[in-house]
């Protein structure tokens, strides 16, 4: 097992993924805009921490320069500003595109050369069920996650000859620090009724599938998106 670099690893799905990939035997580099949160995750898994803004070219270049190798990259850092399209502001568009789309590109193009030098690697990008099932008031967020799915395919076709696999995971409704305010008791129960598996997700539901895609068990899988959403993208469970 080699080095796994996970962005947005300070909490939520990124932290759960760091814990899972560490259990798989990877050496973890926990990356986050919140340096203290990254330190906490690194301490929990015996790994290293880096403070980095994935949307900033110089910050990502400094991250890459600080790493000897990268065998697995999980582009997990993501943000959302929920409002209607009519309420969209230039600042909001720049911020959400910057982290969710440009950030995925920056980290991948900065770290892919290390994978190429080592003969290959695995990139796992966090998309979203929202790329497939839009909801009112989610602004540009679903479009950024659709872009992640397209970027994932682009990486797969451009870097496959170097042994790099690129795949995406599309979470459904997962309770994390970032989404907790939308999962209060009654709302969560109401939402669960519409999910085929009748429950919202837990971070480990996502981390287990990231682990699979990062592993040799997925050695012939590239350019794919696996929706880990309890069936949300299959349709509504109730009328
Ligand atoms: N939780 C869900 O229900 C859900 C559903 C679909 C997709 N996702 C995606 O999964 C990913 C993780 O979601 P989460 O719920 O764990 O989020 P979260 O808000 O709980 O955690 C996100 C982490 O990313 C870090 N981060 C934010 N901007 C950053 C930047 N510019 N550079 C580096 N780090 C940055 C934050 O500091 C935070 O630690 C995101 O890409 C999100 O869009 C989540």
């Amino acid at each position: 097992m080699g080095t796994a670099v996970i962005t947005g690893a300070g909490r939520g799905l990124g932290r759960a993924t760091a814990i899972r990939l560490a259990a798989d035997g990877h050496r973890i580099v926990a990356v986050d805009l919140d340096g203290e949160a990254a330190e906490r995750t690194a301490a929990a898994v015996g790994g290293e921490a880096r403070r980095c803004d994935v949307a900033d070219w110089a910050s990502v270049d400094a991250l890459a320069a600080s790493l000897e190798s990268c065998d697995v990259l999980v582009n997990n850092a993501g943000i959302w500003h929920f409002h209607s399209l009519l309420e969209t502001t230039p600042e909001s568009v720049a911020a959400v595109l910057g982290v969710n789309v440009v950030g995925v590109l920056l980290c991948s193009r900065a770290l892919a050369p290390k994978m190429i030098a080592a003969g290959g690697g695995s990139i796992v990008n966090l998309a979203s069920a929202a790329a497939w099932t839009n909801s009112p008031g989610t602004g540009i967020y679903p479009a950024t996650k659709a872009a992640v799915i397209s970027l994932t395919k682009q990486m797969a076709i451009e870097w496959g000859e170097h042994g790099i696999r690129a795949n995406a995971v599309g979470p459904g409704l997962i309770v994390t620090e970032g989404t907790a305010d939308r999962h209060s008791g009654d709302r969560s129960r109401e939402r669960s009724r519409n999910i085929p598996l009748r429950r919202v997700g837990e971070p480990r539901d996502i981390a287990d599938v990231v682990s699979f895609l990062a592993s040799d068990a997925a050695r012939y899988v590239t350019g794919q998106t696996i929706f880990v959403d309890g069936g949300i993208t299959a349709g509504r469970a109730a009328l």
Side-chain angles (χ1 to χ4, degrees), residues 215-236:
S215 79
D216 190 55
R219 61 193 165 274
Y220 203 53
V221 181
T222 196
Q224 305 303 306
T225 298
I226 301 180
F227 289 102
V228 185
D229 62 358
I232 287 175
T233 47
R236 291 162 60 93

Side-chain angles (χ1 to χ4, degrees), residues 10 32-42 49 51:
D32 208 289
L33 186 59
D34 180 343
E36 288 177 9
E39 292 283 357
R40 284 194 293 275
T41 297
R51 188 196 171 279

